[in-house]
Amino acid sequence: MTESGDATQVAAGVIDTQGGAQLAFQIDGADEVILPGLESGGEHINNVREAAIEAMRRQRGTNTTRGELPFPTAARTKAGATTRVVAGVVDVRVFFQVGGGARVFLPGLQSADEHIDNVREAMAVKYALDRKRP
């Protein structure tokens, strides 16, 4: 869901372009955000995982610090503009945000894991497509 509470959809996938397979995800049909290569996909997964762990800590009360804890990843839009993907936690809610747009909240650890699984699957498809190229 978005910051304003609207339901939203996050799709992770692969775009096969002339330049090769590109790992991308998209929020509610907006412009695709491309994570350049397997490393950045892995970095994004790590950021979301760290945010989920921090949210779990805060839920258990072992860290009562309030406020925002961000983990940024470099990315770009389909049009080629450089952008930033921030995964983070506000109080006990995991979110990520693309290029300063609306924060998308992943409600609970299960949804964070689901997002991580989706990005990981897309990374595996990208890897397989890259290996098939001459």
Side-chain angles (χ1 to χ4, degrees), residues 7-24:
T8 190
Q9 191 185 39
V10 179
V14 175
I15 305 170
D16 198 9
T17 63
Q18 286 179 333
Q22 306 219 311
L23 183 64

Side-chain angles (χ1 to χ4, degrees), residues 62-79:
T62 55
N63 181 350
T64 53
T65 328
R66 291 286 192 231
E68 188 174 315
L69 185 72
F71 304 94
T73 300
R76 60 191 171 82
T77 63
K78 194 174 178 184

